[in-house]
Amino acid sequence: MTPIVAPTPMSRLRRLRRTASLRALAQENAIGVDDLIWPVFVMEGEDASQPIPSMPDVERLTVDRVVTAAKEAASLGIPAICLFPYIDPAIKTEACEEVWDENNLSNRATRAIKEAVPEIAVMTDVALDPYNANGHDGIVRDGVIVNDESVEALVKMAVAQAKAGADILGPSDMMDGRIGAMRQALEAEGYQDTAILSYAAKYASAFYGPFRDAVGASGALVGDKKTYQMNPANSDEALRLVARDLQEGADMVMVKPGLPYLDICRRVKDQFGAPTYAYQVSGEYSMIMGAGANGWIDDQAVMLESLIAFKRAGCDGILTYFAPRVAKLLNG
Ligand code: PBG
């Protein structure tokens, strides 16, 4: 597309910015409640919640309170909620057996939500880190994150989540070959309609810090995740990963983190035209909230500006901790 602009004064681009109604008519992108996926943290217990100091206004919730949150989300029109479990360190092991237990915390929460609010889509996290004694997304042997053995555990985890009723599985582990292996197992086990939203281009990012506090992985993580998550300096590699995951049977793909990686969102959308999502991660959320709390920025205005930026970059939807706040605002 070659934009045509007559010379000034024949063309004055400010004409369409003069009033609110003209600006509204000329607006190219919009954020809607149906673009939102709300990530929530689940913990054991009953009728309780715990604040997360590095994520203002975000709390870990017991299963019954997650159900209440899901009801609220559905009534606001938010299409999906994404579950992340906070696991007692005492049940974390090196083999991560808890991940494929049908009654683990995440699967109990999924069943409870699907029973109480069947209309909301439940997305789950497929990665070993919440249950792993060393905090990694894969199984560690002699200091190495072993790929194929991790994929076996992830496949069992995915099938257990599908069985619990998850609508969307979100493999966030970045092992090679996991999408194809999961898709085959889901077909074989009768879960052919379970969708996979692959964290296809997930970077080894320092923006995940507050999340690791929220799920209790900060102290546990031994080393870093650079042998499986992407190098922030790379862009072409993201396209290869997305192509590979789509070929293996992913229905939707994600770029993560969000705002610092909008160039990747745009390239992925332009290249593949697949349903494309961005994760506005914990560090992005906390920077906006922290600066807002200090009076340095207007956090509500920055929240809206950041979300429209994802739409402008071609994203079909955004995982964001702001989901209920922005939904309330949009619903007036
Ligand atoms: C791990 C996982 C992470 C996030 C989602 N799933 C952290 C990590 O890779 O260490 C980060 C989300 C956020 O920062 O909000 N499987």
Side-chain angles (χ1 to χ4, degrees), residues 84 125 127 129 137 172 199 202 207-208 211-212 225 229 256 279 281-283 321:
F84 292 100
D125 188 49
D129 55 320
D137 295 10
S172 68
Y199 288 61
K202 176 172 177 181
F207 285 95
Y208 307 149
F211 173 96
R212 290 180 191 166
K225 300 191 175 185
Q229 299 180 349
K256 178 182 175 192
Y279 198 145
V281 300
S282 56
Y321 302 97

PDB file of all heavy atoms in Angstrom, residues 84 125 127 129 137 172 199 202 207-208 211-212 225 229 256 279 281-283 321, ligand 1:
ATOM      1  N   PHE A  84      -2.778 -20.494  36.360  1.00  0.00           N
ATOM      2  CA  PHE A  84      -1.399 -20.788  36.757  1.00  0.00           C
ATOM      3  C   PHE A  84      -1.399 -21.199  38.229  1.00  0.00           C
ATOM      4  O   PHE A  84      -1.838 -20.431  39.087  1.00  0.00           O
ATOM      5  CB  PHE A  84      -0.494 -19.569  36.556  1.00  0.00           C
ATOM      6  CG  PHE A  84      -0.283 -19.218  35.115  1.00  0.00           C
ATOM      7  CD1 PHE A  84      -1.001 -18.182  34.534  1.00  0.00           C
ATOM      8  CD2 PHE A  84       0.621 -19.922  34.333  1.00  0.00           C
ATOM      9  CE1 PHE A  84      -0.808 -17.863  33.189  1.00  0.00           C
ATOM     10  CE2 PHE A  84       0.818 -19.611  32.990  1.00  0.00           C
ATOM     11  CZ  PHE A  84       0.092 -18.578  32.418  1.00  0.00           C
ATOM     12  N   ASP A 125      -1.761 -23.936  31.502  1.00  0.00           N
ATOM     13  CA  ASP A 125      -0.334 -23.787  31.209  1.00  0.00           C
ATOM     14  C   ASP A 125       0.284 -25.181  31.142  1.00  0.00           C
ATOM     15  O   ASP A 125       0.147 -25.958  32.086  1.00  0.00           O
ATOM     16  CB  ASP A 125       0.317 -22.978  32.336  1.00  0.00           C
ATOM     17  CG  ASP A 125       1.751 -22.610  32.030  1.00  0.00           C
ATOM     18  OD1 ASP A 125       2.008 -22.095  30.930  1.00  0.00           O
ATOM     19  OD2 ASP A 125       2.627 -22.838  32.890  1.00  0.00           O
ATOM     20  N   ALA A 127       3.619 -26.730  31.177  1.00  0.00           N
ATOM     21  CA  ALA A 127       5.055 -26.577  31.441  1.00  0.00           C
ATOM     22  C   ALA A 127       5.292 -27.184  32.811  1.00  0.00           C
ATOM     23  O   ALA A 127       4.388 -27.224  33.643  1.00  0.00           O
ATOM     24  CB  ALA A 127       5.474 -25.114  31.423  1.00  0.00           C
ATOM     25  N   ASP A 129       7.400 -26.228  35.229  1.00  0.00           N
ATOM     26  CA  ASP A 129       8.016 -25.411  36.293  1.00  0.00           C
ATOM     27  C   ASP A 129       7.244 -25.309  37.607  1.00  0.00           C
ATOM     28  O   ASP A 129       7.874 -25.303  38.659  1.00  0.00           O
ATOM     29  CB  ASP A 129       8.419 -24.025  35.755  1.00  0.00           C
ATOM     30  CG  ASP A 129       7.283 -23.269  35.110  1.00  0.00           C
ATOM     31  OD1 ASP A 129       6.479 -23.898  34.386  1.00  0.00           O
ATOM     32  OD2 ASP A 129       7.181 -22.049  35.306  1.00  0.00           O
ATOM     33  N   ASP A 137      11.217 -25.546  33.137  1.00  0.00           N
ATOM     34  CA  ASP A 137      10.027 -25.979  32.389  1.00  0.00           C
ATOM     35  C   ASP A 137      10.175 -27.407  31.863  1.00  0.00           C
ATOM     36  O   ASP A 137       9.213 -27.996  31.366  1.00  0.00           O
ATOM     37  CB  ASP A 137       9.776 -25.028  31.211  1.00  0.00           C
ATOM     38  CG  ASP A 137       9.416 -23.629  31.684  1.00  0.00           C
ATOM     39  OD1 ASP A 137       9.540 -23.351  32.890  1.00  0.00           O
ATOM     40  OD2 ASP A 137       9.008 -22.810  30.846  1.00  0.00           O
ATOM     41  N   SER A 172       3.918 -23.633  27.307  1.00  0.00           N
ATOM     42  CA  SER A 172       4.786 -22.473  27.482  1.00  0.00           C
ATOM     43  C   SER A 172       6.230 -22.907  27.726  1.00  0.00           C
ATOM     44  O   SER A 172       7.055 -22.128  28.174  1.00  0.00           O
ATOM     45  CB  SER A 172       4.292 -21.626  28.665  1.00  0.00           C
ATOM     46  OG  SER A 172       4.469 -22.322  29.879  1.00  0.00           O
ATOM     47  N   TYR A 199       2.853 -21.254  22.874  1.00  0.00           N
ATOM     48  CA  TYR A 199       3.789 -20.172  23.161  1.00  0.00           C
ATOM     49  C   TYR A 199       4.960 -20.435  22.200  1.00  0.00           C
ATOM     50  O   TYR A 199       5.949 -21.047  22.574  1.00  0.00           O
ATOM     51  CB  TYR A 199       4.305 -20.261  24.581  1.00  0.00           C
ATOM     52  CG  TYR A 199       3.341 -19.905  25.715  1.00  0.00           C
ATOM     53  CD1 TYR A 199       2.155 -20.612  25.921  1.00  0.00           C
ATOM     54  CD2 TYR A 199       3.669 -18.886  26.617  1.00  0.00           C
ATOM     55  CE1 TYR A 199       1.318 -20.307  26.990  1.00  0.00           C
ATOM     56  CE2 TYR A 199       2.838 -18.578  27.693  1.00  0.00           C
ATOM     57  CZ  TYR A 199       1.665 -19.296  27.876  1.00  0.00           C
ATOM     58  OH  TYR A 199       0.862 -18.989  28.949  1.00  0.00           O
ATOM     59  N   LYS A 202       8.625 -17.567  22.497  1.00  0.00           N
ATOM     60  CA  LYS A 202       8.744 -17.147  23.896  1.00  0.00           C
ATOM     61  C   LYS A 202      10.207 -16.861  24.189  1.00  0.00           C
ATOM     62  O   LYS A 202      11.066 -17.733  24.031  1.00  0.00           O
ATOM     63  CB  LYS A 202       8.210 -18.231  24.819  1.00  0.00           C
ATOM     64  CG  LYS A 202       8.386 -17.886  26.299  1.00  0.00           C
ATOM     65  CD  LYS A 202       7.693 -18.878  27.206  1.00  0.00           C
ATOM     66  CE  LYS A 202       7.956 -18.540  28.662  1.00  0.00           C
ATOM     67  NZ  LYS A 202       7.312 -19.492  29.571  1.00  0.00           N
ATOM     68  N   PHE A 207      11.463  -9.851  32.049  1.00  0.00           N
ATOM     69  CA  PHE A 207      10.131  -9.326  32.369  1.00  0.00           C
ATOM     70  C   PHE A 207       9.237 -10.338  33.092  1.00  0.00           C
ATOM     71  O   PHE A 207       8.116 -10.022  33.444  1.00  0.00           O
ATOM     72  CB  PHE A 207       9.416  -8.857  31.092  1.00  0.00           C
ATOM     73  CG  PHE A 207       9.926  -7.554  30.534  1.00  0.00           C
ATOM     74  CD1 PHE A 207      10.891  -7.535  29.542  1.00  0.00           C
ATOM     75  CD2 PHE A 207       9.432  -6.339  30.991  1.00  0.00           C
ATOM     76  CE1 PHE A 207      11.356  -6.339  29.022  1.00  0.00           C
ATOM     77  CE2 PHE A 207       9.888  -5.137  30.478  1.00  0.00           C
ATOM     78  CZ  PHE A 207      10.857  -5.137  29.487  1.00  0.00           C
ATOM     79  N   TYR A 208       9.705 -11.599  33.266  1.00  0.00           N
ATOM     80  CA  TYR A 208       8.879 -12.599  33.954  1.00  0.00           C
ATOM     81  C   TYR A 208       9.080 -12.594  35.471  1.00  0.00           C
ATOM     82  O   TYR A 208       8.479 -13.414  36.165  1.00  0.00           O
ATOM     83  CB  TYR A 208       9.194 -14.027  33.450  1.00  0.00           C
ATOM     84  CG  TYR A 208       9.126 -14.237  31.961  1.00  0.00           C
ATOM     85  CD1 TYR A 208       9.952 -15.172  31.329  1.00  0.00           C
ATOM     86  CD2 TYR A 208       8.245 -13.505  31.165  1.00  0.00           C
ATOM     87  CE1 TYR A 208       9.896 -15.375  29.956  1.00  0.00           C
ATOM     88  CE2 TYR A 208       8.191 -13.700  29.784  1.00  0.00           C
ATOM     89  CZ  TYR A 208       9.022 -14.636  29.189  1.00  0.00           C
ATOM     90  OH  TYR A 208       8.980 -14.841  27.841  1.00  0.00           O
ATOM     91  N   PHE A 211       6.015 -12.729  37.883  1.00  0.00           N
ATOM     92  CA  PHE A 211       5.281 -13.996  37.720  1.00  0.00           C
ATOM     93  C   PHE A 211       5.941 -15.102  38.530  1.00  0.00           C
ATOM     94  O   PHE A 211       5.265 -15.911  39.167  1.00  0.00           O
ATOM     95  CB  PHE A 211       5.240 -14.380  36.235  1.00  0.00           C
ATOM     96  CG  PHE A 211       4.650 -15.743  35.941  1.00  0.00           C
ATOM     97  CD1 PHE A 211       3.321 -15.889  35.585  1.00  0.00           C
ATOM     98  CD2 PHE A 211       5.434 -16.895  36.010  1.00  0.00           C
ATOM     99  CE1 PHE A 211       2.772 -17.135  35.307  1.00  0.00           C
ATOM    100  CE2 PHE A 211       4.901 -18.151  35.735  1.00  0.00           C
ATOM    101  CZ  PHE A 211       3.570 -18.272  35.386  1.00  0.00           C
ATOM    102  N   ARG A 212       7.260 -15.134  38.480  1.00  0.00           N
ATOM    103  CA  ARG A 212       7.953 -16.209  39.214  1.00  0.00           C
ATOM    104  C   ARG A 212       7.745 -16.039  40.719  1.00  0.00           C
ATOM    105  O   ARG A 212       7.676 -17.036  41.444  1.00  0.00           O
ATOM    106  CB  ARG A 212       9.434 -16.244  38.816  1.00  0.00           C
ATOM    107  CG  ARG A 212       9.606 -16.737  37.370  1.00  0.00           C
ATOM    108  CD  ARG A 212      11.048 -16.799  36.895  1.00  0.00           C
ATOM    109  NE  ARG A 212      11.102 -17.025  35.446  1.00  0.00           N
ATOM    110  CZ  ARG A 212      12.178 -16.864  34.697  1.00  0.00           C
ATOM    111  NH1 ARG A 212      13.327 -16.492  35.246  1.00  0.00           N
ATOM    112  NH2 ARG A 212      12.126 -17.082  33.392  1.00  0.00           N
ATOM    113  N   LYS A 225      16.836 -19.844  31.777  1.00  0.00           N
ATOM    114  CA  LYS A 225      16.065 -20.636  30.808  1.00  0.00           C
ATOM    115  C   LYS A 225      16.565 -20.431  29.372  1.00  0.00           C
ATOM    116  O   LYS A 225      15.838 -20.679  28.413  1.00  0.00           O
ATOM    117  CB  LYS A 225      14.580 -20.303  30.953  1.00  0.00           C
ATOM    118  CG  LYS A 225      14.024 -20.606  32.353  1.00  0.00           C
ATOM    119  CD  LYS A 225      12.491 -20.525  32.424  1.00  0.00           C
ATOM    120  CE  LYS A 225      12.007 -20.965  33.811  1.00  0.00           C
ATOM    121  NZ  LYS A 225      10.526 -21.014  33.881  1.00  0.00           N
ATOM    122  N   GLN A 229      14.321 -21.057  26.014  1.00  0.00           N
ATOM    123  CA  GLN A 229      13.611 -19.852  25.582  1.00  0.00           C
ATOM    124  C   GLN A 229      14.505 -19.047  24.626  1.00  0.00           C
ATOM    125  O   GLN A 229      15.717 -19.181  24.640  1.00  0.00           O
ATOM    126  CB  GLN A 229      13.210 -19.019  26.801  1.00  0.00           C
ATOM    127  CG  GLN A 229      12.260 -19.798  27.726  1.00  0.00           C
ATOM    128  CD  GLN A 229      11.821 -19.034  28.949  1.00  0.00           C
ATOM    129  OE1 GLN A 229      12.359 -17.974  29.269  1.00  0.00           O
ATOM    130  NE2 GLN A 229      10.854 -19.577  29.675  1.00  0.00           N
ATOM    131  N   LYS A 256       5.692 -13.706  23.255  1.00  0.00           N
ATOM    132  CA  LYS A 256       5.796 -13.387  24.681  1.00  0.00           C
ATOM    133  C   LYS A 256       7.232 -13.026  25.028  1.00  0.00           C
ATOM    134  O   LYS A 256       8.126 -13.771  24.629  1.00  0.00           O
ATOM    135  CB  LYS A 256       5.360 -14.618  25.463  1.00  0.00           C
ATOM    136  CG  LYS A 256       5.453 -14.491  26.955  1.00  0.00           C
ATOM    137  CD  LYS A 256       5.056 -15.782  27.610  1.00  0.00           C
ATOM    138  CE  LYS A 256       5.286 -15.650  29.097  1.00  0.00           C
ATOM    139  NZ  LYS A 256       5.206 -16.918  29.767  1.00  0.00           N
ATOM    140  N   TYR A 279       1.332 -11.978  24.986  1.00  0.00           N
ATOM    141  CA  TYR A 279       1.214 -12.028  26.440  1.00  0.00           C
ATOM    142  C   TYR A 279       1.860 -10.774  27.004  1.00  0.00           C
ATOM    143  O   TYR A 279       3.069 -10.603  26.909  1.00  0.00           O
ATOM    144  CB  TYR A 279       1.912 -13.281  26.964  1.00  0.00           C
ATOM    145  CG  TYR A 279       1.541 -13.722  28.383  1.00  0.00           C
ATOM    146  CD1 TYR A 279       1.476 -15.070  28.698  1.00  0.00           C
ATOM    147  CD2 TYR A 279       1.284 -12.803  29.399  1.00  0.00           C
ATOM    148  CE1 TYR A 279       1.146 -15.496  29.979  1.00  0.00           C
ATOM    149  CE2 TYR A 279       0.954 -13.220  30.666  1.00  0.00           C
ATOM    150  CZ  TYR A 279       0.882 -14.571  30.962  1.00  0.00           C
ATOM    151  OH  TYR A 279       0.563 -14.985  32.241  1.00  0.00           O
ATOM    152  N   VAL A 281       3.195  -9.528  29.833  1.00  0.00           N
ATOM    153  CA  VAL A 281       3.616 -10.347  30.976  1.00  0.00           C
ATOM    154  C   VAL A 281       3.691  -9.542  32.274  1.00  0.00           C
ATOM    155  O   VAL A 281       3.524  -8.315  32.287  1.00  0.00           O
ATOM    156  CB  VAL A 281       4.962 -11.070  30.699  1.00  0.00           C
ATOM    157  CG1 VAL A 281       4.839 -11.978  29.493  1.00  0.00           C
ATOM    158  CG2 VAL A 281       6.095 -10.080  30.559  1.00  0.00           C
ATOM    159  N   SER A 282       3.990 -10.265  33.344  1.00  0.00           N
ATOM    160  CA  SER A 282       3.951  -9.692  34.684  1.00  0.00           C
ATOM    161  C   SER A 282       4.801  -8.435  34.819  1.00  0.00           C
ATOM    162  O   SER A 282       4.369  -7.449  35.408  1.00  0.00           O
ATOM    163  CB  SER A 282       4.391 -10.749  35.696  1.00  0.00           C
ATOM    164  OG  SER A 282       5.673 -11.261  35.365  1.00  0.00           O
ATOM    165  N   GLY A 283       6.019  -8.450  34.280  1.00  0.00           N
ATOM    166  CA  GLY A 283       6.898  -7.285  34.412  1.00  0.00           C
ATOM    167  C   GLY A 283       6.336  -6.061  33.707  1.00  0.00           C
ATOM    168  O   GLY A 283       6.488  -4.926  34.183  1.00  0.00           O
ATOM    169  N   TYR A 321      -3.048  -9.165  32.692  1.00  0.00           N
ATOM    170  CA  TYR A 321      -3.540  -9.081  34.070  1.00  0.00           C
ATOM    171  C   TYR A 321      -4.511  -7.913  34.226  1.00  0.00           C
ATOM    172  O   TYR A 321      -5.202  -7.808  35.231  1.00  0.00           O
ATOM    173  CB  TYR A 321      -2.357  -8.953  35.045  1.00  0.00           C
ATOM    174  CG  TYR A 321      -1.405 -10.134  34.909  1.00  0.00           C
ATOM    175  CD1 TYR A 321      -0.245 -10.052  34.131  1.00  0.00           C
ATOM    176  CD2 TYR A 321      -1.707 -11.359  35.499  1.00  0.00           C
ATOM    177  CE1 TYR A 321       0.596 -11.135  33.962  1.00  0.00           C
ATOM    178  CE2 TYR A 321      -0.878 -12.451  35.339  1.00  0.00           C
ATOM    179  CZ  TYR A 321       0.271 -12.334  34.567  1.00  0.00           C
ATOM    180  OH  TYR A 321       1.088 -13.427  34.393  1.00  0.00           O
TER     181      TYR A 321
HETATM  182  C1  PBG B   1       6.488 -20.725  32.724  1.00  0.00           C
HETATM  183  C2  PBG B   1       5.758 -19.466  32.454  1.00  0.00           C
HETATM  184  C3  PBG B   1       6.282 -18.191  32.701  1.00  0.00           C
HETATM  185  C4  PBG B   1       5.287 -17.273  32.381  1.00  0.00           C
HETATM  186  C5  PBG B   1       4.182 -17.991  31.936  1.00  0.00           C
HETATM  187  N1  PBG B   1       4.489 -19.343  31.970  1.00  0.00           N
HETATM  188  C6  PBG B   1       7.591 -17.790  33.286  1.00  0.00           C
HETATM  189  C7  PBG B   1       8.820 -18.392  32.825  1.00  0.00           C
HETATM  190  O1  PBG B   1       8.955 -18.810  31.663  1.00  0.00           O
HETATM  191  O2  PBG B   1       9.706 -18.457  33.657  1.00  0.00           O
HETATM  192  C8  PBG B   1       5.459 -15.795  32.540  1.00  0.00           C
HETATM  193  C9  PBG B   1       4.235 -14.965  32.568  1.00  0.00           C
HETATM  194  C10 PBG B   1       4.432 -13.602  33.123  1.00  0.00           C
HETATM  195  O3  PBG B   1       5.551 -13.121  33.390  1.00  0.00           O
HETATM  196  O4  PBG B   1       3.394 -12.937  33.328  1.00  0.00           O
HETATM  197  N2  PBG B   1       6.043 -21.868  32.168  1.00  0.00           N
END
